[in-house]
Amino acid sequence: MKAVVIALATIVALTAPAYSQGRGKGGGRHAPSQEQTEEQKKKAAEAEKAYHSALDKIPDKKFDPWGNVR
């Protein structure tokens, strides 16, 4: 009887992490739809354009963190 209880406890302890891996970030049974509405596409395009314009504003300045050490 003691061996059966230990075996069941071992099985439960080993399967719990595998069960919990599929529970986060859309790992459930219902996958979100991949279709976007026109409004969502428009917002995504505007966000992408704003992102690229912000990247263009960053200067391409070389930085040497060890410059003062040498």
Side-chain angles (χ1 to χ4, degrees):
M1 183 67 179
K2 186 177 180 182
V4 173
V5 172
I6 292 173
L8 287 176
T10 304
I11 291 172
V12 169
L14 292 176
T15 58
Y19 175 74
S20 66
Q21 284 181 354
R23 302 303 293 170
K25 293 190 179 179
R29 295 174 191 235
H30 303 289
S33 67
Q34 297 295 329
E35 297 180 17
Q36 292 182 344
T37 63
E38 289 297 321
E39 184 177 326
Q40 289 174 334
K41 288 179 184 179
K42 188 176 179 181
K43 284 185 180 181
E46 289 175 4
E48 189 73 22
K49 185 177 178 182
Y51 171 74
H52 284 293
S53 68
L55 282 180
D56 290 337
K57 293 178 184 177
I58 298 173
D60 292 333
K61 187 175 171 182
K62 302 276 184 188
F63 179 72
D64 186 12
W66 291 92
N68 294 334
V69 178
R70 297 182 194 149

